[in-house]
Amino acid sequence: MNIPRLSCPRVVIVGGGFAGIALAKQLSKQEVQVVLLDKHNYHTFQPLLYQVSTGGLEPDSIAYPLRKILKNFPNILFRLAHVEAIDVANNKVITNIGDLSYNYLVVASGSETNFYGNTTIAENSMVMKTIPQSLDLRSLILENFEDALLTSDLQERDKLMNFVIVGAGPTGVELAGALAEIKKGILPKDYPDLDTRRAQINLVQSGDSILKDMSEKASIKAEAFLESLGVNVWKNLRVTHYDGSLATTNTDVTFETATLIWTAGVKGATIKGLDAASFVTKGNRVVVDEFNAVKGLDNVFAIGDIAHMVTAQQPKGYPMMAQPAIQQGEQLGKNLVRMLAGKPMHPFKYKDKGAMATVGRNKAVVDLKRWKFQGVFAWFVWMFVHLFFLIGFRNRAVVFVNWVYNYIRFDREARLIIRPFKKRHNTKQGNH
Amino acid sequence: MNIPRLSCPRVVIVGGGFAGIALAKQLSKQEVQVVLLDKHNYHTFQPLLYQVSTGGLEPDSIAYPLRKILKNFPNILFRLAHVEAIDVANNKVITNIGDLSYNYLVVASGSETNFYGNTTIAENSMVMKTIPQSLDLRSLILENFEDALLTSDLQERDKLMNFVIVGAGPTGVELAGALAEIKKGILPKDYPDLDTRRAQINLVQSGDSILKDMSEKASIKAEAFLESLGVNVWKNLRVTHYDGSLATTNTDVTFETATLIWTAGVKGATIKGLDAASFVTKGNRVVVDEFNAVKGLDNVFAIGDIAHMVTAQQPKGYPMMAQPAIQQGEQLGKNLVRMLAGKPMHPFKYKDKGAMATVGRNKAVVDLKRWKFQGVFAWFVWMFVHLFFLIGFRNRAVVFVNWVYNYIRFDREARLIIRPFKKRHNTKQGNH
C-alpha cells in the first residue's frame, strides 16, 4: 500500500462517511499517523440521495472529494480501497490493494440494505444507499416512462408506471413524495402522448404507522401530506415476494410493478474477521462499549451505523443516522487523544438534535426535543439544516440554486438517463 | 413506436444535437407532425465536455432534457431510440424500438470519433464525444493517480501520470490546459505523498501548428499559453500505434502512458442506408445541396456535422461545429415551411460568428471577423458566450456558480470517481 511506517502510532479508519470524517478531523494535528480507507474517493451526503434519484439534484453536488476534506491534515493519508477482512490477531487490515497493519483500528463502514434474507426481493428490487445506485434508479424510472409510451398493452403500460416503495422511514417517505410531485408537475408536460394520470405511487409499511421513529404527530401529518399528493399509503402490509413484475404480500394485496424500491431496512456493513457471533448482534451491528471499543478487543473501535452501543440513555442502541455517527466520531477522536496522553476516556453521551423528514413542496415534519411542527416552516427548516450539513461551499451553492429553481419552476431538470440501467449489459462500453 | 398517423405531413428528425433542436424549434406551431429521435433523452452541450472530464463541471449541468425543450410544442413528439437504418426506397426509419415512416426525413446525427482506421488506437484510447465517455475519462484520470500512489515502480508510476492528448483542435487544447492546471493547483494538495511534479501532459499535433482552423495569432498565443502552463506541445508528430501502455509515432519519439486521449479527428455519424458511396464523401459526411437536401433524394435532408455542403463561400464544406449546425437547422426549418406552402426554398448562407478556445485561467484566444484578441478579456468573452449558448436558466446558474468558485478557489470539486472505469467489468452492478 506504500505507506511509510512512522514512530508514532497508526490509526486506520475504515470508511469516509459521517463517522469516519468526524473522527479524522479530530485526529488532525495530533501525534498519530491516520490512514483513511474508503471504496469511493468521495464522501456521500446520503440524506439527499433520493433527490438524485428523482432528478432534483445532480449527483456531484451531494458528493465531496475525500482528499479535499483531508488536504490540510498532513498526518492523514487516504487510500481508495475495498477492505476485505480484518485480522484482529495480527492487527492487520486486508484490502484489494494490499495489507495494512495498525496500532488502532476504527471501523466506520456504515450500513447496507437489509433484505432480511428475501432473495427474490434482493435480486429484483432497486436500492438507494450509494450514488451509483441512486443514478441507476433515476435511469430506470425514466426508462420506464419511455417504454410505457411504446406499448399498446395497457396492463404492461400500467406496470411500467406503477411504483412500489417498501419501507416508510424518511427515505421511503421522501422518495414517495418526490415521485408524486413528478407525476403531477412534470409527467403531463414531458409525456403529452401518455395518460400519466394512471401512474401510481405506492408506499408500503409493515407497521401501523409511517416514520415510526418520529412523533405520532409527525407520522400522522406526513401521512396526510402523502395522501394529499396522491400517494397510496399501505400500512400493516409486508411485501413477501417480487419477481421483477409481480409483488405479493402477506395479504391478498398484490402489485404489478416494474419498479420496486426497497427502503425497508438496513444492517451493519460488517467486515470479515469482525463478523463472528461474538462481535455482532441483531442487524449485523458490532457491539461496542460506551467508549466505542469493540467487545473483547482493546485496540479496535467501531462508530456510526455499524456500532451497536447500549447505554442507559438508549437501551436499544442508537439509531443508524447521521447524528449519532458524527457525535461518536468526534467523541472517539477526543478519547483517542486522551488515551494516547495517558488520560482516561469519557463515555459517549448522545445529544439528540431531533429528527425531520420532507414530503414535498412546503410539506415537512420536524421533531425537536421541545417543539414539534409541520408544514411550510418545517420545510424551510429542513432545507436550511440540510444545506448547513452539506460539506463545502460549492455544493451548498449549487444545491441552493437547484432548490430555488425547482421551487419557482415546479421543475427537476436532472431527469437525464446518463447511463441506461435496463440495457446496461447490452451496450458497448463507453458507447451510450 | 405507437405514433398516430395524422393527415398532415410527418417530419422525422434523427438527432437532438444543435442542428436537430434548432430545426425542431422552427417547425413548432406548423402544420406538420414532427418526431425527434435520439439515443439519449438529453441534449449535450459538447463544447464543455472537457470540463466534465477534468472535474470542473458536473455532467448534469451541460445536459438538458430533450422532452423539456419540446414540451411547449404539441406537434413534436420525442422517442428515445437508436436509429439502425434508413430505408429511403420506402420512406422508413428502422430503429431498435420499431420502424417509422416519414414524409420528410432530416438526418442530424452529428459526428463520431475518427481513428482513420487505426485499430490499436481505437481499442486503447479514450475519447470525449459524449457525457458517459467524458465521465469515463474523469474516472480514469483519477484512478491513475490513486494507482500511482500504490506502486514503488517508478517507471510504472510515471506511466500512470503521463497523459498524451492527440489532436490540438479546441478540444485537445482545452483538455491539455485543464490537466496542466490540475497538475499545478490540485494534485500537490490531494496527493501529498506523491511526487506529482513528475506528471506530464503532452499535446501531440500532426501539423505544424495548433488550433489550425483559427488565426495564426491565436495559434501562436495558445501555444505560448500552453507552454507557460507546462504542457509539452509536440508538432509535426503523428501517433501511429498505442497498445494501452506504449505509444509510438512516425518519428523515434515514444510515450509510455496509461492514458492516451484521442481528439484528432471526427467523421460523420452515418447511418446504414445513407452510407453508400453515392451519398457520402470524405470524412463520412453526407453530400447535400445548398438547401441541405441529400443528393439524389427529394425528401431527405442532412444538417450539421453529418452534412457536407459545398458553396462558393465554403468550397471545402462547413466546419463540424455548433454554429453551422444551428444555422443549418434554422434555415432548413424555414425552408420546409416555405416548401409546404408551395414557395421556393432559400439557399443556405453561413454567418461566421468567429471561433474561440480557452487554455486556462485568464487564457483564451478569440477570432472574430474583424478583431482577434487573446488573454484575460478573451477568457471572459469565452465564458460569457458559453454561458449564453447553454440551454436553460438552471444550467447557466449552476455552471456560473462552479466557474466563480473554481476561479476564486483555484479548484475543481467534481473530482469524483462515481463509476470506476478501470474496474468496471469486475464490480457487481450497483455495488460500486
Side-chain angles (χ1 to χ4, degrees):
Chain A
M1 217 180 267
N2 219 7
I3 291 178
R5 199 66 174 104
L6 309 180
S7 57
C8 61
R10 178 185 289 163
V11 179
V12 174
I13 305 173
V14 178
F18 289 116
I21 292 301
L23 169 63
K25 284 181 176 170
Q26 291 293 325
L27 295 179
S28 68
K29 297 168 195 168
Q30 299 294 330
E31 278 292 302
V32 286
Q33 181 189 47
V34 179
V35 182
L36 177 70
L37 305 174
D38 198 290
K39 61 183 169 178
H40 296 128
N41 79 333
Y42 53 87
H43 168 83
T44 303
F45 191 72
Q46 293 188 344
L48 292 178
L49 282 174
Y50 83 97
Q51 294 217 0
V52 171
S53 293
T54 52
L57 290 177
E58 34 233 300
D60 299 22
S61 51
I62 67 160
Y64 199 82
L66 285 168
R67 291 194 173 280
K68 169 140 188 183
I69 296 175
L70 307 174
K71 76 173 181 184
N72 294 320
F73 310 145
N75 68 322
I76 308 184
L77 296 177
F78 172 75
R79 287 294 181 274
L80 184 67
H82 291 249
V83 175
E84 289 161 358
I86 291 163
D87 180 352
V88 291
N90 297 300
N91 294 328
K92 234 169 47 179
V93 172
I94 290 114
T95 83
N96 67 322
I97 59 166
D99 299 353
L100 185 68
S101 64
Y102 59 80
N103 298 103
Y104 300 96
L105 173 69
V106 184
V107 178
S109 52
S111 56
E112 56 191 28
T113 304
N114 194 350
F115 296 102
Y116 306 103
N118 193 317
T119 53
T120 64
I121 295 174
E123 277 163 24
N124 297 304
S125 69
M126 303 299 289
V127 296
M128 216 176 58
K129 288 287 289 175
T130 68
I131 287 179
Q133 287 168 350
S134 302
L135 289 171
D136 283 346
L137 178 56
R138 180 176 90 177
S139 290
L140 178 63
I141 293 168
L142 294 164
E143 286 174 285
N144 281 346
F145 282 101
E146 295 296 335
D147 287 347
L149 266 178
L150 303 180
T151 178
S152 310
D153 177 340
L154 273 184
Q155 198 184 358
E156 178 66 21
R157 194 187 291 170
D158 284 349
K159 194 201 291 180
L160 287 163
M161 302 202 294
N162 191 15
F163 297 88
V164 177
I165 300 158
V166 185
T171 304
V173 167
E174 288 169 348
L175 186 61
L179 284 173
E181 290 195 332
I182 288 174
K183 176 188 167 178
K184 198 176 149 193
I186 291 173
L187 295 185
K189 290 178 205 150
D190 266 15
Y191 298 91
D193 43 343
L194 189 67
D195 185 359
T196 55
R197 291 169 302 180
R198 295 181 69 92
Q200 294 289 324
I201 295 115
N202 298 286
L203 180 65
V204 179
Q205 167 64 23
S206 61
D208 58 6
S209 68
I210 68 167
L211 295 177
K212 67 179 166 47
D213 292 332
M214 293 187 68
S215 66
E216 197 188 340
K217 210 169 157 187
S219 169
I220 290 169
K221 194 70 188 180
E223 193 176 331
F225 283 150
L226 285 169
E227 277 169 358
S228 74
L229 285 171
V231 173
N232 309 319
V233 180
W234 302 81
K235 291 181 290 188
N236 298 305
L237 188 66
R238 278 203 315 278
V239 173
T240 50
H241 189 275
Y242 177 56
D243 63 3
S245 173
L246 181 75
T248 52
T249 67
N250 61 328
T251 72
D252 56 1
V253 173
T254 59
F255 300 97
E256 286 207 69
T257 176
T259 321
L260 186 136
I261 303 149
W262 184 260
T263 67
V266 286
K267 60 181 179 183
T270 44
I271 301 169
K272 212 176 127 183
L274 213 63
D275 57 351
S278 57
F279 293 123
V280 300
T281 181
K282 221 185 82 177
N284 266 21
R285 295 175 89 182
V286 173
V287 180
V288 297
D289 65 17
E290 58 195 342
F291 308 105
N292 283 99
V294 175
K295 210 176 76 176
L297 300 171
D298 57 4
N299 64 341
V300 180
F301 301 84
I303 51 177
D305 284 3
I306 184 75
H308 184 78
M309 183 195 291
V310 171
T311 62
Q313 185 192 18
Q314 198 84 8
K316 287 177 166 182
Y318 292 98
M320 293 161 90
M321 282 163 42
Q323 273 304 322
I326 293 169
Q327 294 180 30
Q328 287 182 1
E330 285 173 355
Q331 175 77 0
L332 179 60
K334 288 174 190 159
N335 272 336
L336 288 177
V337 172
R338 281 190 198 105
M339 186 188 65
L340 291 168
K343 294 179 193 163
M345 302 206 281
H346 294 173
F348 178 65
K349 275 207 182 66
Y350 181 53
K351 286 183 207 75
D352 188 353
K353 296 188 173 171
M356 53 182 69
T358 188
V359 182
R361 191 183 181 76
N362 298 333
K363 293 181 182 70
V365 293
V366 174
D367 285 356
L368 301 181
K369 210 167 177 179
R370 290 196 177 77
W371 187 28
K372 305 187 193 323
F373 53 104
Q374 302 85 31
V376 180
F377 181 65
W379 190 69
F380 277 98
V381 169
W382 180 93
M383 285 201 296
F384 176 79
V385 167
H386 281 75
L387 277 178
F388 180 81
F389 276 101
L390 262 178
I391 297 176
F393 173 79
R394 188 200 66 105
N395 280 2
R396 285 181 198 149
V398 169
V399 168
F400 182 73
V401 165
N402 275 287
W403 283 353
V404 169
Y405 180 84
N406 295 351
Y407 187 76
I408 294 171
R409 300 295 298 268
F410 291 79
D411 207 346
R412 289 159 184 270
E413 278 191 1
R415 43 189 194 274
L416 312 165
I417 308 170
I418 301 275
R419 311 263 191 182
F421 177 73
K422 283 187 182 179
K423 294 146 197 154
R424 175 185 294 177
H425 301 289
N426 305 340
T427 48
K428 279 190 292 177
Q429 172 191 313
N431 198 26
H432 38 76
Chain B
M1 218 181 268
N2 219 6
I3 291 177
R5 200 68 173 103
L6 308 179
S7 58
C8 62
R10 178 186 289 164
V11 179
V12 173
I13 305 173
V14 178
F18 288 116
I21 292 301
L23 169 63
K25 285 181 176 170
Q26 291 294 325
L27 295 179
S28 68
K29 296 167 196 169
Q30 300 294 330
E31 279 292 302
V32 285
Q33 182 189 46
V34 179
V35 182
L36 178 70
L37 305 175
D38 198 290
K39 60 183 170 176
H40 296 128
N41 79 332
Y42 53 86
H43 168 83
T44 303
F45 191 74
Q46 293 189 343
L48 292 178
L49 282 173
Y50 82 96
Q51 295 217 358
V52 171
S53 293
T54 52
L57 289 177
E58 33 233 300
D60 299 22
S61 51
I62 66 160
Y64 199 82
L66 284 168
R67 290 195 174 280
K68 171 142 186 178
I69 296 175
L70 306 174
K71 75 173 181 184
N72 294 320
F73 310 144
N75 68 321
I76 308 184
L77 296 177
F78 172 75
R79 288 293 182 274
L80 184 66
H82 291 250
V83 174
E84 289 161 359
I86 292 163
D87 180 352
V88 292
N90 296 299
N91 294 328
K92 234 169 46 177
V93 172
I94 290 114
T95 82
N96 67 321
I97 59 166
D99 299 353
L100 184 68
S101 65
Y102 60 80
N103 299 103
Y104 300 96
L105 174 69
V106 183
V107 178
S109 53
S111 57
E112 56 190 28
T113 304
N114 194 350
F115 297 101
Y116 306 102
N118 192 316
T119 53
T120 66
I121 295 173
E123 277 162 24
N124 297 303
S125 69
M126 304 299 287
V127 296
M128 217 174 60
K129 287 287 290 177
T130 69
I131 286 180
Q133 287 168 351
S134 302
L135 288 172
D136 283 346
L137 178 56
R138 179 176 90 175
S139 289
L140 179 63
I141 292 168
L142 294 163
E143 287 176 283
N144 281 345
F145 282 102
E146 295 296 334
D147 288 347
L149 266 178
L150 304 179
T151 179
S152 310
D153 178 340
L154 274 183
Q155 199 186 358
E156 178 66 20
R157 194 187 290 169
D158 284 349
K159 195 201 290 180
L160 287 162
M161 302 202 295
N162 191 14
F163 297 88
V164 177
I165 301 158
V166 185
T171 304
V173 167
E174 288 169 348
L175 186 61
L179 284 174
E181 290 195 331
I182 288 174
K183 176 187 168 180
K184 197 176 152 193
I186 291 173
L187 295 185
K189 291 178 204 152
D190 265 17
Y191 299 90
D193 43 344
L194 190 66
D195 185 359
T196 54
R197 290 168 303 180
R198 296 181 68 93
Q200 295 288 325
I201 295 114
N202 298 286
L203 180 64
V204 179
Q205 168 64 24
S206 61
D208 58 6
S209 67
I210 69 167
L211 295 177
K212 66 178 166 48
D213 292 332
M214 293 187 66
S215 66
E216 196 188 340
K217 211 170 158 187
S219 169
I220 291 169
K221 194 71 188 180
E223 193 177 330
F225 284 149
L226 284 169
E227 277 168 358
S228 73
L229 285 170
V231 173
N232 310 318
V233 179
W234 303 80
K235 289 181 292 189
N236 298 306
L237 187 67
R238 277 202 318 276
V239 173
T240 51
H241 189 275
Y242 177 56
D243 62 4
S245 172
L246 181 76
T248 52
T249 67
N250 61 328
T251 72
D252 56 1
V253 173
T254 59
F255 300 96
E256 285 207 70
T257 176
T259 321
L260 186 135
I261 304 148
W262 184 261
T263 67
V266 286
K267 59 181 180 184
T270 44
I271 301 169
K272 215 176 124 182
L274 213 64
D275 56 352
S278 57
F279 293 124
V280 301
T281 180
K282 219 185 83 174
N284 267 20
R285 296 175 89 182
V286 173
V287 180
V288 297
D289 65 18
E290 58 196 341
F291 307 105
N292 283 100
V294 174
K295 210 177 75 176
L297 300 171
D298 57 5
N299 64 341
V300 179
F301 301 83
I303 52 177
D305 285 3
I306 184 75
H308 185 79
M309 184 194 291
V310 171
T311 61
Q313 185 192 18
Q314 197 84 10
K316 288 177 166 183
Y318 292 98
M320 293 161 90
M321 282 162 44
Q323 273 305 322
I326 294 168
Q327 293 179 31
Q328 286 182 0
E330 285 172 355
Q331 175 78 358
L332 178 60
K334 288 174 191 160
N335 272 336
L336 287 177
V337 173
R338 281 189 198 104
M339 185 188 65
L340 291 168
K343 296 178 191 163
M345 302 206 282
H346 294 174
F348 178 66
K349 275 207 180 68
Y350 181 52
K351 286 182 206 76
D352 188 353
K353 296 188 173 172
M356 51 182 70
T358 187
V359 182
R361 189 184 182 76
N362 297 333
K363 295 181 180 69
V365 293
V366 174
D367 284 356
L368 299 183
K369 210 167 176 180
R370 290 198 177 76
W371 188 29
K372 304 189 195 320
F373 52 104
Q374 302 86 29
V376 179
F377 180 65
W379 190 69
F380 277 98
V381 168
W382 180 92
M383 284 200 296
F384 176 79
V385 167
H386 282 74
L387 277 178
F388 180 81
F389 277 101
L390 262 178
I391 297 177
F393 173 80
R394 190 201 66 105
N395 280 2
R396 285 179 197 151
V398 169
V399 168
F400 182 73
V401 165
N402 275 287
W403 283 352
V404 169
Y405 180 85
N406 295 351
Y407 187 75
I408 295 172
R409 300 296 297 270
F410 290 79
D411 207 346
R412 290 159 185 269
E413 278 191 359
R415 43 189 195 272
L416 311 166
I417 308 170
I418 301 277
R419 312 264 191 183
F421 177 73
K422 283 188 183 180
K423 293 145 199 155
R424 175 186 294 177
H425 300 289
N426 303 339
T427 49
K428 280 190 290 179
Q429 172 190 313
N431 197 28
H432 37 79

